[in-house]
Amino acid sequence: MEDFVNLTDFINTTSAKETKVPPYSERPETYVVPVVFAIIFIVGVVGNGTLVLIFARHRTMRNVPNTHIFSLALGDLLVILSCVPFTSTIYTFESWPYGELICKLSETTKDVSIGVSVFTLTALSADRFFAIVDPMRKLYSSIGGRGATRCTVFIAAAIWGVALLCALPAAISSHIREFKDGNKTLFKACYPFPTEFGMFYPRTVIMAKFLFYYAIPLSIVAVFYSLMARHLILSTRNMPGEMQGQVRQIRARKKVAKTVLTFVVVFAVCFFPHHLFMLWFYFHPRAQEYYNAFWHYFRIIGFCLSFINSCINPIALYCVSGTFRKHFDRYLFCCLKQGGVRRGRSSQRRTGTRKGWDSTSVPAQHSTLRRHDPAEITLTTFMNGTDKNAAI
């Protein structure tokens, strides 16, 4: 954990000469950060695990955008299971207690997960652009539903391959570094930068991560969404009445685009403080001199937010997608809903007996109405994958 080790090195050397550093037992982050990471672990496993289950059990959910969302969930699960339990304690122990293998594993999976997330969000934005902008619809219609999904699976696999390649430096160079004061070992830390490379190597890695894991992908996403917004504004002007079917399709695709945009905004907010701190700490010539309580807690907030991103996507998807919300409710709240249904049926029987109603007549009538509701038919069509590019 490069941010942890540099701060610890700073506290035990430069800063300790001028200020009294409180012991770990007196620092609030010693107790707050493990609690935050425990919440991240529980919410992340349940949320992303449910997303994977929904994708695996429901064939109608296996469309183009949902394939990318499935890939996002797998990447988040990877970092939550292999990294979060260990990094949650770096503010609790003075030295890294897990050995070099766990050090390499946690650093590598963290980089893989970040790469999968940001590259997948870029691919999702491109997919929304191709689905919405007129000239590229021909490409989708020529590929077809199943062909488009297979193409998306290939893209997702390529994204994982690129993310693994980008994580190779962490897998190779991460090691347990001993920080000493003369012959006395002060502490041991999981350190991703070989010391023999000097300061040039960590600065290069940090700048590369900022550019390829943050600035460049978000810039590409911004271009896609700017072009989409321009196209949608122009396409909705003076649209004739007979194009209402196309209007519904555009609205459905706009809804998916808004979902993707929500993921992008969440990612940008969660990783901005971390990147800002790392750039400041490594590139500002007087960073150690200016380091104070503000930067200390800013860094901790950025550290936590970067992992919160791994558990927040299912929450965001639950809030913005009605289709996924129904599946989440089915799997997560089925016991509560079944209890409510039993109580409702019991109450309905008692009410029906008193008033002389047939307890099945109202649901049957409701079902008949719904079969002839055009809005419901349209929604069912989208949910069943008729428009492979519009359904989430």
Side-chain angles (χ1 to χ4, degrees), residues 82-313:
S82 62
C83 189
V84 166
F86 308 111
T87 56
S88 63
T89 62
I90 66 174
Y91 289 95
T92 306
F93 305 116
E94 294 190 13
S95 292
W96 177 261
Y98 303 112
E100 187 166 306
L101 177 62
I102 298 299
C103 170
K104 289 181 176 292
L105 177 66
S106 61
E107 285 293 318
T108 303
T109 55
K110 181 183 68 174
D111 285 357
V112 170
S113 176
I114 295 173
V116 168
S117 295
V118 70
F119 299 152
T120 300
L121 290 175
T122 307
L124 263 170
S125 301
D127 171 75
R128 292 303 87 203
F129 173 77
F130 294 155
I132 290 175
V133 177
D134 278 331
M136 299 308 298
R137 286 185 192 160
K138 298 178 181 179
L139 174 64
Y140 273 80
S141 61
S142 63
I143 292 177
R146 293 184 180 180
T149 304
R150 285 195 294 267
C151 181
T152 305
V153 171
F154 175 79
I155 293 172
I159 286 173
W160 276 85
V162 173
L164 286 169
L165 287 176
C166 293
L168 280 180
I172 296 171
S173 61
S174 297
H175 63 284
I176 304 299
R177 178 181 173 184
E178 293 186 358
F179 290 82
K180 296 183 176 182
D181 183 10
N183 294 326
K184 179 183 178 181
T185 299
L186 297 174
F187 62 94
K188 298 179 181 180
C190 178
Y191 197 66
F193 307 131
T195 55
E196 58 269 20
F197 292 172
M199 286 298 296
F200 174 78
Y201 179 76
R203 287 178 176 173
T204 302
V205 171
I206 288 167
M207 181 57 70
K209 286 184 177 181
F210 172 71
L211 292 176
F212 293 103
Y213 284 168
Y214 194 81
I216 294 176
L218 291 183
S219 299
I220 295 173
V221 170
V223 171
F224 279 136
Y225 270 86
S226 298
L227 294 174
M228 273 190 283
R230 178 178 178 274
H231 172 79
L232 290 171
I233 291 172
L234 294 176
S235 63
T236 53
R237 292 178 179 174
N238 302 321
M239 184 169 285
E242 61 270 15
M243 300 292 290
Q244 292 305 310
Q246 187 175 356
V247 170
R248 287 195 296 269
Q249 188 179 62
I250 291 175
R251 287 176 180 172
R253 291 179 175 179
K254 283 170 64 177
K255 185 176 180 181
V256 180
K258 290 178 181 178
T259 302
V260 177
L261 184 60
T262 302
F263 290 161
V264 173
V265 171
V266 167
F267 179 88
V269 171
C270 287
F271 279 93
F272 178 74
H274 173 75
H275 284 293
L276 179 61
F277 175 83
M278 296 301 290
L279 290 171
W280 175 81
F281 191 80
Y282 273 92
F283 287 91
H284 196 288
R286 303 176 66 182
Q288 292 190 355
E289 180 182 344
Y290 292 155
Y291 191 90
N292 52 25
F294 168 79
W295 284 109
H296 176 64
Y297 289 109
F298 182 84
R299 179 192 143 287
I300 293 174
I301 291 172
F303 175 76
C304 292
L305 280 175
S306 64
F307 284 95
I308 286 174
N309 180 75
S310 298
C311 74
I312 204 170
N313 282 342

